[in-house]
Amino acid sequence: MDDLLNRLTTLLGPAGLLTAPSDIAPFCTDWRGLMHGAARAILRPASTDQVAQCVALCAEHGAKMVPQGGNTSMVAGATPSADGSAFILTLSRLNQVRAIDTTDLTMTIEAGVTLQAAQIAADDAGALLPLSISAEGSAQIGGVLATNAGGNNTLRYGNARDLVLGLEVVLADGRIWHGLRSLRKDNTGYCLRQLFVGSEGTLGIITAAVLKLSPRPRDRQAAFCAVPSVDAALALFARFRAEDASALQAFEYIAAPTLDLVVKHIPGITPPTSRAPHYVLIDLATTNKHGNLRAMLEDTLATALNDGLITDAALADSAAHRAAFWKLRENCAEGQKQEGASVKNDVSVPVSTIPTLLAQAETALQHLIPGCRMVAFGHIGDGNIHLNVQQPANITAGEFLSQAHDIMDCVNAIVQSLHGSFSAEHGIGKLKPYLMTNWRGGPELDMMHAIKSALDPACTLNPGTLLPPRP
C-alpha cells in the first residue's frame, strides 16, 4: 500500500489526496448517521483521465474503492466499511457543465456538478432539467444517476434513467467507456448506459453524462390541500389527471404526523391550511402560452371541495409562495431526523393500493412496537411512499434501531402482498442487500451477479453494496 499511496500522491498532488484522519472522517459517515466507516485515504481526481488512472492503480494493487458524490444516500450506499481497507473516490472536482444544446435540448455535464447547479445552468439556457429531489443542493449528478434517483417530478418526466442519453464511465480496470452520445434513437446492441444507471457504483464510475432537457414552463401553479382520507387524495389525483394529465408535474402526499414534525423542527414553517389527517401538494406546469392553469386549478378544487374530497386549500399566488409549499414537502426527512431515530421504508405499490398499504402498515406496526409513529409522505402519483417509522417516546434510540430489520420486514411483507417493491428510489446501498435474495432471488439475482462478475471480477468497486454475497 505504501507504493500505491506514493503513486497516487504523484498522480493527484497534495490537493487530490487526503490522508489526515481529520480530513477523512467527514467522508466516512452516511447522511443519516447510521453507518460509520473508515478509509485509507480520500482520492480527489480533477478529470476523467485522473479517475481512470486512480482506478487502474487501485486495480493493479487489488485495492477497493468506494465512489462518492454528495454523500446523501439514504441507504449508506457511499459509506466505506469499518475495516478501513478501501479508498473513497470523490467526484466533487469534476464539476463542469461541458455543453448545453438548446436545439437538441441536451446537457453534457460532469459527475461532480450538484443537481441544483445543473438545474440553474439549464434554466440560464432557457431550458428545464426536470429532475428534482430534496437533496438537490448537495447531491451530485454522478450519484443521482448511479442511484437512479426518482424525486418529485417522476410523475411527468420519469426517473433519472429516463433522462440519460449517454454516459462516460471509468470501468473497474481503469479503461474509459466514451459513451457520451446525444442520440434519441440508437438501436445498436445492448443499451449499456442503463447498466450503470442504478448500479450504485458497483459496475463502473460515472464521470459525465448527456441528459435530456425539456422546454421551460411558461406557467406554473401550485396548491396545498387538506384532505380527509387517502382515498380522497387518490380521487383528487384522478380528477386532475382526467382534466389535463400533461399539466401534472407533481402530486405529493404528506400525512399529518409528518407535517407536525416539519412544523416542530424547521424554522419559519407555517401550515397553509386548516388541520387535517392528510395533505397533498399539487404542482402544475405548462409550456402552452395560451394555457390557463389557474382557472383549471381553481375549478377542479372548487368541485372537489363541494364533493368532500378536500376540506381546505391554499393556492400559491407567486413563485415564492409556491416555494414555501415545497419547503413543507422537502423538509419531511429533515423533520424526522431532528425528532430522533427513524427506520425508513422507501416502498412502491400500485397507486390504487396505497390506502390499503397505509392502513395495514399502521395496524401491523402498532402491534409490533406499541407507541411508534408512522411518518408517511411521498410521491402518491407514482405509487412511491416513504413509509417511515419514528422512535416511540418510551424506548431509547438504540433499542428502537435494534428492531430496524423487524420493522422493515413488517412493512415489506405488506408491500410484497400488494406486488410492490421495497426500494422505489433510494436503492439498496449497504443497509438492504439482505433483502435481495427474497425479492429478486433465482434467475434475476443470478443475472445481476453475472453482470457484476463480468464488469468487476475482482469486486473492487463499492464492495458490500447492492448485491448480497453469492451462495
Side-chain angles (χ1 to χ4, degrees):
M1 285 301 135
D2 288 342
D3 176 61
L4 175 57
L5 281 170
N6 289 335
R7 294 172 72 180
L8 288 169
T9 301
T10 301
L11 170 65
L12 298 174
L17 183 70
L18 307 179
T19 57
S22 59
D23 291 332
I24 294 173
F27 295 86
C28 293
T29 299
D30 75 302
W31 181 83
R32 296 172 61 195
L34 294 180
M35 290 194 69
H36 305 276
R40 293 185 185 275
I42 309 300
L43 310 182
R44 302 179 66 243
S47 68
T48 298
D49 285 340
Q50 282 194 349
V51 174
Q53 291 178 70
C54 285
V55 173
L57 285 171
C58 287
E60 179 185 333
H61 288 77
K64 300 188 184 302
M65 291 159 286
V66 177
Q68 189 175 105
N71 198 22
T72 60
S73 172
M74 292 286 189
V75 289
T79 307
S81 64
D83 64 12
S85 62
F87 290 89
I88 292 176
L89 192 150
T90 174
L91 283 299
S92 58
R93 295 175 74 192
L94 278 71
N95 56 11
Q96 299 300 308
V97 176
R98 295 184 185 176
I100 295 178
D101 189 320
T102 55
T103 301
D104 275 348
L105 277 179
T106 60
M107 165 186 280
T108 305
I109 190 166
E110 293 182 342
V113 179
T114 66
L115 178 54
Q116 187 174 72
Q119 293 167 344
I120 292 170
D123 187 68
D124 288 344
L128 172 73
L129 177 60
L131 191 64
S132 177
I133 60 177
S134 296
E136 58 198 28
S138 303
Q140 296 173 9
I141 292 297
V144 166
L145 301 184
T147 56
N148 185 31
N152 306 323
N153 296 337
T154 295
L155 175 63
R156 182 163 175 175
Y157 299 101
N159 294 321
R161 73 168 66 253
D162 298 298
L163 303 178
V164 178
L165 292 173
L167 290 179
E168 177 184 85
V169 180
V170 174
L171 303 177
D173 59 5
R175 289 182 297 162
I176 302 171
W177 173 46
H178 297 283
L180 287 177
R181 305 181 184 107
S182 60
L183 300 174
R184 306 291 171 135
K185 287 184 174 180
D186 183 11
N187 198 13
T188 50
Y190 302 125
C191 188
L192 294 177
R193 69 181 184 274
Q194 294 297 0
L195 284 178
F196 299 99
V197 178
S199 68
E200 302 188 41
T202 62
L203 301 179
I205 299 172
I206 297 171
T207 53
V210 179
L211 304 179
K212 288 189 285 188
L213 302 178
S214 294
R216 190 166 57 186
R218 284 188 168 95
D219 184 18
R220 297 191 70 169
Q221 298 291 332
F224 194 89
C225 304
V227 297
S229 67
V230 184
D231 287 299
L234 284 187
L236 184 62
F237 170 62
R239 288 203 180 180
F240 275 96
R241 186 173 56 187
E243 189 68 32
D244 186 354
S246 67
L248 267 174
Q249 182 134 309
F251 198 96
E252 299 289 290
Y253 166 76
I254 306 175
T258 311
L259 186 63
D260 291 343
L261 294 184
V262 175
V263 173
K264 178 180 178 181
H265 293 292
I266 307 302
I269 293 288
T270 302
T273 67
S274 56
R275 184 167 175 78
H278 310 275
Y279 306 90
V280 294
L281 169 56
I282 305 162
D283 198 323
L284 308 176
T286 183
T287 60
N288 184 350
K289 64 182 179 181
H290 301 298
N292 194 345
L293 289 185
R294 185 69 175 202
M296 187 267 275
L297 180 63
E298 291 175 349
D299 291 347
T300 306
L301 290 179
T303 303
L305 181 64
N306 288 335
D307 294 342
L309 298 183
I310 65 174
T311 56
D312 195 8
L315 278 64
D317 53 18
S318 65
H321 199 182
R322 177 180 163 274
F325 289 171
W326 274 106
K327 187 176 180 181
L328 294 168
R329 168 62 184 84
E330 290 169 349
N331 279 286
C332 288
E334 184 63 28
Q336 293 172 68
K337 185 178 180 180
Q338 296 298 324
E339 179 72 4
S342 65
V343 173
K344 296 188 180 296
N345 298 282
D346 167 46
V347 302
S348 62
V349 294
V351 174
S352 60
T353 67
I354 290 174
T356 302
L357 166 69
L358 294 174
Q360 290 187 4
E362 178 70 39
T363 300
L365 289 167
Q366 287 302 325
H367 179 75
L368 178 67
I369 304 180
C372 71
R373 290 167 286 173
M374 192 175 79
V375 186
F377 63 98
H379 319 291
I380 200 169
D382 57 46
N384 175 199
I385 299 296
H386 301 299
L387 204 160
N388 301 335
V389 186
Q390 202 76 27
Q391 168 192 350
N394 61 340
I395 63 174
T396 67
E399 291 172 325
F400 174 67
L401 291 176
S402 70
Q403 302 177 73
H405 281 195
D406 293 335
I407 293 169
M408 287 190 286
D409 290 344
C410 174
V411 172
N412 288 335
I414 299 168
V415 173
Q416 201 161 32
S417 73
L418 298 172
H419 308 289
S421 169
F422 74 90
S423 177
E425 63 177 359
H426 290 166
I428 310 301
K430 293 181 176 66
L431 294 184
K432 299 185 178 183
Y434 79 98
L435 291 166
M436 291 290 282
T437 301
N438 181 38
W439 287 73
R440 296 291 183 262
E444 190 168 358
L445 191 55
D446 287 345
M447 287 189 287
M448 293 186 195
H449 277 297
I451 293 169
K452 172 69 171 175
S453 296
L455 293 180
D456 182 21
C459 293
T460 57
L461 296 180
N462 215 359
T465 300
L466 197 155
L467 293 176
R470 248 184 153 152

